[in-house]
Amino acid sequence: MSALQTVIDGAKAEGRAALIAYLPVGYPDVDSSIAAMVAAVEGGADVVEVGVPYSDPGMDGPVIQEAVEVAVSAGVGMPDVLRAVAAVSAAGAVPVVMSYWNPIERYGVDRFADDLAAAGGAGAITPDLIPDEAAAWLSASERTGLDRVFLVAPSSTDTRLAATIASCRGFVYAASTMGVTGSRATVGDAAERLVDRSREVSGDLPVCVGLGVSTGDQAAEVAGFADGVIVGSAYVRQLLDGHGAEGVRVLSEELAAGVRRARVGA
Amino acid sequence: MTALHPAAPDARDLTARPEWPDATGHFGPYGGRFVPEALIAALDELSAAYEAMRVDPEFITEFARLQRDYTGRPNPVTEVPKFAEHCGGARVLLKREDLNHTGSHKINNVLGQALLTKRIGKTRVIAETGAGQHGVATATAAALMGLSCTVYMGEEDTRRQALNVARMRLLGAEVIPVTTGSRTLKDAINEAFRDWVTNVETTNYVFGTVAGPHPFPAMVRDFQRVIGDEARAQVLEREGRLPDVVLACVGGGSNAIGIFTAFVPDADVRLIGLEAGGDGVETGRHASSITGGDPGVLHGARSYLLQDANGQTIESHSISAGLDYPGVGPEHAYLHDMGRAEYRPITDSEAMEAFALLCRTEGIIPAIESAHALAGAMKVGQELGPDALLLVNLSGRGDKDVETASAWFALGEQGAPTDSDARAVEAGRGADPGPGLDEDQHATDGAVANHEAVAGQDAGEQA
């Protein structure tokens, strides 16, 4: 059984959505970023997306770019990422790596799968890898039993939605809006429509929503229709603003309360 | 060699393409689509619309009309005998893309993509630009066809190429300086992709080179192959034979693919791409993705790129903004691996020597990008000797580079160099201009010497 699906199904059994926190390794430095991830778990995150820094994060908005640039300049790489994975696992949450494709390809796809499994990672989310190009990763994840999370988008056709979801294990990442990562005032109807469309073909695979969620109220709203709520930029914002691990913990508590709240007025 | 090839240019089907890429955009192991799912629908739409358009007689007629009446095609092939004296006596022919409207080969591609934009009913185009040539070409096509236009340009490049920023703004485009990462072309591409994924319903991304996700490498090649199709016929017509070597500079690689494609089936014609060697590949400060890089994924495709052990893109270095890119189109990677094309680095100094040489010997100011191909011709000509016939793609003109050259050669007011191009100042201000600069300043025979000349404001008085 997939580690990610197990924890998300567990949340569902409690009548709530799972909280998935993204933080990049290496901002402001490797140890502090790991401390922030642990704080996110202590505040209530069920899953931590352990972000691999990348020089050309084409899907990320300015907040994540700013943090990641620091980590890239400092030479943060896969060994640091694996250390963070082990720390998150030890803190009691499920770690999943979030990486653009080139750092994984450069490290070696099979080596990555072996080392990630050994570190206690559940699998990987690959925002710029579509299943069509993923032959090496599909076979490596199959061999090692790792989860593989691909993205679906509002613009995905029904055919692509079905094919992509069929390649996913762990959960389906529904990128709620057309755009890059970052906080938005509203999450919008597109997210709910995408989740509904995904559910038609996802069977019992959980569908989690990312892009644009930053507050407890938004988390509550998304929790009303999705199995998991993914929050990234808002966590990173805590670090950029100098609130450190404590700021991350407080935000996690707010979001964790959000995913436990029934959706109001919707 | 002559007997192997039909002399008539229309003897081959100009819409025929190489057997690559495959249906999903792969050139062997290279190419493909490494982009967020959100863009796949747009890329699929673009692929389908393009495949329908490229064989549509109405499009073919309209594209041909624009190339003739607007761009000024066909442009000539010019023999440059005095320049060739510095190329081991080999004969050198230049394909004059510098004479196109907007000053480079970039217009070939944007007219095609602008027509495609209208065909799919979008009203806004975005583009990335390095030297500014693709941005200017896109702004031009947008003005011509009534599209709104936004151009992303690295902040570093907006300083190096201030003239082109002004040109784009004159043409009605919005120019957005990009301040992330290394603030050059690669970051402009990231920013353009972010814009596209956000505004894809109204916006088409007019990609400037043969890189990026499928269908861009194949589509841009198809729009640029006119360079080689024309040049092959022109050389055959005037020489009765094919060139021994075809040379072109390679950044992303669109002008090189443009001139190579027609010659790829001609096994006896050597194809040589000249990459930007910056301070020298061995220094690590260069933009030679094939010579000095490894296979990996960048900007939506697998190809060679400059990267470190963690898979982070390494910042490239070149005096030429248009070649200052850490990646290269996937078809070049494929041509390299199969041994059909060779790739060599040309340093900043070598390129600037060739730049000055062409100015002085032939009265043609080349783009610094194209000067890399000229420097390649100087080397290859010396290797091959007097019987060789070299065809060089002069991909652009150098008006935009006058400031950089001025700083490099210290041509400005003595003791008062501008600091507008820090790299040129730092690397080579006052550099020996090489054999191109005639220190003795011999007057042309029969010319009026400076002290005998009539000043412009007085000219009418003595006529």
Side-chain angles (χ1 to χ4, degrees):
Chain A
M1 183 68 171
S2 140
L4 283 169
Q5 185 165 354
T6 302
V7 68
I8 297 167
D9 284 351
K12 189 185 277 184
E14 294 173 16
R16 64 176 180 94
L19 174 61
I20 302 172
Y22 162 91
L23 282 163
V25 180
Y27 185 83
D29 55 64
V30 174
D31 287 340
S32 306
S33 66
I34 291 174
M37 290 177 198
V38 170
V41 174
E42 290 165 357
D46 303 289
V47 174
V48 176
E49 286 184 15
V50 178
V52 178
Y54 181 50
S55 51
D56 296 272
M59 235 196 99
D60 285 307
V63 170
I64 291 177
Q65 282 177 51
E66 186 180 342
V68 158
E69 252 180 52
V70 171
V72 168
S73 304
V76 173
M78 210 56 88
D80 305 302
V81 171
L82 294 168
R83 190 152 70 82
V85 164
V88 169
S89 179
V94 176
V96 57
V97 165
M98 170 81 154
S99 183
Y100 289 89
W101 185 242
N102 199 52
I104 293 177
E105 183 160 302
R106 183 67 163 173
Y107 189 76
V109 180
D110 280 309
R111 180 182 169 213
F112 169 75
D114 289 335
D115 293 357
L116 179 60
I125 304 168
T126 49
D128 63 345
L129 185 72
I130 56 175
D132 322 43
E133 300 284 353
W137 171 231
L138 291 176
S139 84
S141 54
E142 209 56 51
R143 180 176 60 74
T144 48
L146 289 172
D147 288 336
R148 50 187 183 242
V149 177
F150 297 105
L151 276 62
V152 294
S155 61
S156 302
T157 60
D158 289 343
T159 313
R160 282 203 63 81
L161 211 57
T164 301
I165 289 172
S167 299
C168 287
R169 188 163 58 208
F171 67 88
V172 180
Y173 190 125
S176 63
T177 55
M178 296 296 287
V180 296
T181 56
S183 304
R184 289 176 177 78
T186 56
V187 178
D189 300 340
E192 189 164 0
R193 278 201 303 274
L194 178 59
V195 170
D196 288 346
R197 290 177 60 214
S198 299
R199 284 205 199 286
E200 285 173 24
V201 286
S202 62
D204 65 351
L205 193 66
V207 180
C208 302
V209 168
L211 302 196
V213 179
S214 60
T215 66
D217 286 345
Q218 287 174 329
E221 184 191 342
V222 171
F225 57 84
D227 301 311
V229 180
I230 304 166
V231 180
S233 297
Y235 277 111
V236 176
R237 170 53 67 198
Q238 292 298 316
L239 298 179
L240 289 176
D241 288 349
H243 303 309
E246 190 48 35
V248 167
R249 188 193 328 270
V250 170
L251 176 64
S252 235
E253 284 165 359
E254 178 191 337
L255 294 166
V259 299
R260 284 165 174 81
R261 213 154 58 219
R263 191 156 50 132
V264 180
Chain B
M1 209 180 276
T2 313
L4 291 175
H5 297 283
D10 56 356
R12 26 157 82 195
D13 175 6
L14 294 187
T15 59
R17 306 152 113 179
E19 52 201 77
W20 52 83
D22 66 14
T24 50
H26 296 91
F27 302 81
Y30 302 110
R33 282 181 179 168
F34 293 83
V35 294
E37 170 66 22
L39 284 177
I40 297 294
L43 291 169
D44 278 343
E45 177 192 29
L46 212 52
S47 297
Y50 171 61
E51 287 304 320
M53 183 180 84
R54 63 180 281 272
V55 293
D56 179 347
E58 229 174 90
F59 160 74
I60 293 169
T61 305
E62 174 66 357
F63 193 42
R65 184 190 69 77
L66 283 172
Q67 290 190 324
R68 184 188 65 232
D69 299 348
Y70 193 70
T71 306
R73 301 203 77 92
N75 57 47
V77 159
T78 305
E79 179 153 18
V80 284
K82 285 187 287 178
F83 177 79
E85 287 170 16
H86 302 271
C87 303
R91 292 181 56 207
V92 177
L93 303 174
L94 304 183
K95 178 59 177 166
R96 299 296 304 279
E97 294 298 308
D98 62 315
L99 297 180
N100 293 343
H101 178 46
T102 73
S104 81
H105 70 291
K106 294 291 189 186
I107 190 79
N108 303 332
N109 167 44
V110 299
L111 289 176
Q113 290 201 52
L115 287 173
L116 184 59
T117 304
K118 295 196 77 167
R119 196 178 170 104
I120 58 179
K122 293 185 176 175
T123 54
R124 174 177 180 258
V125 289
I126 54 172
E128 82 294 344
T129 197
Q133 296 300 85
H134 174 59
V136 167
T138 306
T140 300
L144 177 68
M145 299 190 197
L147 300 164
S148 117
C149 178
T150 298
V151 178
Y152 290 93
M153 188 170 186
E155 189 184 48
E156 167 81 10
D157 292 334
T158 61
R159 290 195 300 107
R160 285 196 281 197
Q161 303 289 346
L163 183 65
N164 272 343
V165 174
R167 287 170 80 194
M168 288 183 271
R169 288 179 171 152
L170 280 172
L171 291 161
E174 174 190 24
V175 179
I176 301 185
V178 173
T179 56
T180 52
S182 58
R183 303 175 184 219
T184 59
L185 179 56
K186 90 170 175 72
D187 308 286
I189 293 175
N190 292 337
E191 217 51 55
F193 270 115
R194 292 184 186 115
D195 180 314
W196 199 28
V197 74
T198 309
N199 301 295
V200 68
E201 277 182 27
T202 58
T203 299
N204 190 30
Y205 185 0
V206 175
F207 203 69
T209 190
V210 289
H214 178 64
F216 290 117
M219 178 167 68
V220 176
R221 174 195 66 196
D222 291 352
F223 291 143
Q224 290 292 1
R225 66 167 296 163
V226 65
I227 304 171
D229 288 335
E230 277 181 15
R232 188 175 182 280
Q234 287 166 319
V235 174
L236 275 176
E237 189 187 350
R238 60 178 286 155
E239 303 296 332
R241 57 169 288 203
L242 291 172
D244 297 302
V245 187
V246 178
L247 302 103
C249 64
V250 177
S254 70
N255 91 82
I257 284 292
I259 198 164
F260 285 176
T261 297
F263 294 96
V264 165
D266 301 315
D268 292 337
V269 179
R270 282 173 68 188
L271 307 176
I272 303 182
L274 290 312
E275 298 192 293
D279 294 343
V281 171
E282 70 288 350
T283 66
R285 293 173 52 84
H286 62 88
S288 302
S289 313
I290 294 180
T291 319
D294 305 288
V297 169
L298 175 65
H299 293 148
R302 182 179 287 111
S303 186
Y304 283 80
L305 64 123
L306 305 181
Q307 57 178 327
D308 69 12
N310 290 326
Q312 313 294 356
T313 311
I314 295 175
E315 207 174 307
S316 56
H317 292 274
S318 171
I319 190 168
S320 148
L323 303 182
D324 199 351
Y325 179 59
V328 65
E331 188 165 2
H332 284 293
Y334 189 50
L335 291 173
H336 168 266
D337 283 11
M338 73 163 85
R340 182 61 192 95
E342 308 157 45
Y343 296 85
R344 301 185 183 188
I346 294 293
T347 63
D348 287 353
S349 308
E350 290 167 338
M352 292 311 289
E353 181 185 335
F355 174 94
L357 192 59
L358 192 73
C359 294
R360 283 302 176 104
T361 57
E362 302 286 349
I364 299 171
I365 301 179
I368 294 176
E369 290 78 11
S370 319
H372 287 69
L374 294 165
M378 292 168 70
K379 289 186 170 184
V380 172
Q382 271 147 21
E383 290 164 20
L384 297 184
D387 292 334
L389 181 62
L390 311 183
L391 173 64
V392 178
N393 195 15
L394 199 71
S395 56
R397 59 180 176 241
D399 310 36
K400 67 186 176 58
D401 295 317
V402 167
E403 238 188 22
T404 302
S406 185
W408 180 275
F409 295 122
L411 301 179
E413 204 183 320
Q414 289 297 324
T418 70
D419 60 358
S420 63
D421 191 319
R423 268 188 58 68
V425 171
E426 158 201 332
R429 197 173 76 76
D432 175 6
L437 279 185
D438 176 0
E439 298 292 334
D440 300 333
Q441 296 282 324
H442 297 301
T444 307
D445 281 350
V448 178
N450 272 339
H451 66 272
E452 298 166 355
V454 177
Q457 66 271 26
D458 302 329
E461 304 292 317
Q462 302 196 5

